[in-house]
C-alpha cells in the first residue's frame, strides 16, 4: 500500500479513502477507475449487482499498464448479492467475481442481511470462499449492530468491515461502537449524502476556514473518525477534489458541529430486508 492514511484491521491496512463505482455504467466505470488510480486512490469498491466488475478490472489493468500503480498497492472490494447466499450460490458468485475482475479481491462482503438461508450456511460459505483463495478478507454491508455481532459470532475469520450509509445527516454511534468492540471497521457509502452536503451552511462555513469545499470537509470528518469513505463520481475533476483532503485537519469543535447535523430522517437508502431494522439512534 501507499503512505496514505489507512486503518489496520486484522493485520490488513485498508486505505481510508476509496473510490466507489455504484451506478456507474461499464464504460464510465473503466475510465473512472483508471483515472482514480492515476489521481492516487488505492482503494476501489464494486459489487456483482453493479454489473461493472469486468469494467472495474479493465480500469485497474489500464492503470497498471500506464505505470500509475501496481496491483499489490490496490485494495479491491466486491460483494456477494443476496440471491447467492446459499453455499453453492455464494461460492459460484465468488468465482464469477474473480473471473470478471481478473483479480482476486482483497475483500468480499455480504451485500445486505438476509433472513434465509440460515446464517450459519452463509457465513460458513463466506469463510470457505476465503479459505479457497477467492478473497483475502471478508466482511459485511448494511448490517445493523445486533446482526453485525451475530455474524461475527458465526464467522471463523474476522469480518474486517461493515459497509453502510454514513454521512453528516446520520448518527451511527451504536454501529461504530459495535465495530470497535469487534475489532472491525466501518466503511461509508454515500459519504457525501448524494450531493446534499454541498449546500449545507455549516459545512460551507467550516470549509471556508480551511479553503476547502463542503465535500472535502465531509470526507475529512469521516477520515478523522477512522471511517473508510468511498465517494463515487463520474467526473474526473470531482474525483480529484475528493482526493484533496490530506493537507488539513478539522478541530474537535468542527467535528462536533458536523456530528450535530445528524437528524432522524437523514437516511437516503433504506433497502433493508423487513426482517431487520436499523439501530434506533434517537430514543
Amino acid at each position: 500500500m501507499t503512505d496514505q492514511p489507512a486503518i489496520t484491521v486484522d493485520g490488513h491496512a485498508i486505505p481510508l479513502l476509496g473510490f466507489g463505482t455504484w451506478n456507474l455504467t461499464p464504460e464510465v466505470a473503466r475510465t473512472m477507475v483508471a483515472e482514480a488510480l492515476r489521481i492516487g486512490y488505492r482503494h476501489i469498491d464494486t459489487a456483482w449487482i453493479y454489473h461493472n466488475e469486468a469494467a472495474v478490472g479493465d480500469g485497474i489493468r489500464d492503470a497498471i499498464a500506464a505505470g500509475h500503480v501496481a496491483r499489490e498497492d490496490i485494495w479491491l472490494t466486491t460483494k456477494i448479492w443476496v440471491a447467492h447466499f446459499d453455499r453453492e450460490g455464494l461460492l459460484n458468485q465468488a468465482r464469477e467475481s474473480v473471473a470478471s475482475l481478473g483479480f482476486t479481491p482483497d475483500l468480499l462482503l455480504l451485500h445486505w442481511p438476509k433472513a434465509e438461508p440460515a446464517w450459519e450456511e452463509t457465513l460458513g460459505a463466506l469463510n470457505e470462499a476465503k479459505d479457497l483463495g477467492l478473497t483475502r478478507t471478508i466482511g459485511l454491508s448494511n448490517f445493523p449492530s445486533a446482526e453485525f455481532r451475530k455474524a461475527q459470532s458465526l464467522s471463523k475469520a474476522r469480518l474486517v468491515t461493515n459497509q453502510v450509509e454514513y454521512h453528516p445527516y446520520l448518527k451511527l454511534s451504536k454501529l461504530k461502537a459495535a465495530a470497535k468492540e469487534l475489532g472491525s471497521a466501518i466503511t461509508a457509502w454515500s459519504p457525501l449524502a448524494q450531493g446534499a452536503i454541498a449546500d449545507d451552511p455549516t459545512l460551507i462555513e467550516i470549509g471556508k476556514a480551511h479553503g476547502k469545499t463542503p465535500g472535502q470537509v465531509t470526507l475529512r470528518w469521516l477520515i478523522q473518525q477512522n471511517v473508510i469513505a468511498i465517494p463515487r463520481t463520474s467526473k474526473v475533476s470531482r474525483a480529484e477534489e475528493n482526493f484533496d483532503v490530506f493537507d488539513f485537519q478539522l478541530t474537535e469543535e468542527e467535528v462536533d458541529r458536523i456530528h450535530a447535523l445528524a437528524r432522524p430522517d437523514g437516511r437516503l437508502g433504506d433497502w433493508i430486508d423487513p426482517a431487520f431494522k436499523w439501530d434506533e439512534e434517537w430514543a
Side-chain angles (χ1 to χ4, degrees), residues 5 30 32 53 67 74 145 154 161 163 169 187 196 200 216 272:
R30 177 174 184 168
M32 287 306 303
E53 284 180 320
I74 302 168
S145 58
L154 296 172
T161 199
Q163 185 181 125
Y169 306 123
T187 299
D200 190 286
Q216 290 169 324
I272 198 165

Side-chain angles (χ1 to χ4, degrees), residues 97-173:
S97 290
V98 170
S100 295
L101 290 163
F103 301 102
T104 298
D106 299 285
L107 175 59
L108 188 63
L109 306 178
L110 299 178
H111 209 143
W112 288 86
K114 186 183 177 186
E116 295 179 352
W119 283 29
E120 288 82 355
E121 178 177 354
T122 302
L123 270 299
L126 188 65
N127 276 267
E128 189 174 350
K130 178 180 182 295
D131 292 343
L132 290 171
L134 300 173
T135 181
R136 290 175 62 206
T137 66
I138 57 176
L140 309 172
S141 186
N142 302 303
F143 277 58
S145 58
E147 286 72 27
F148 191 1
R149 291 185 176 93
K150 177 182 176 182
Q152 183 60 76
S153 74
L154 296 172
S155 177
K156 176 181 66 174
R158 176 80 60 203
L159 300 171
V160 301
T161 199
N162 187 4
Q163 185 181 125
V164 295
E165 180 182 350
Y166 187 38
H167 46 68
Y169 306 123
L170 278 182
K171 188 176 179 183
L172 224 66
S173 53

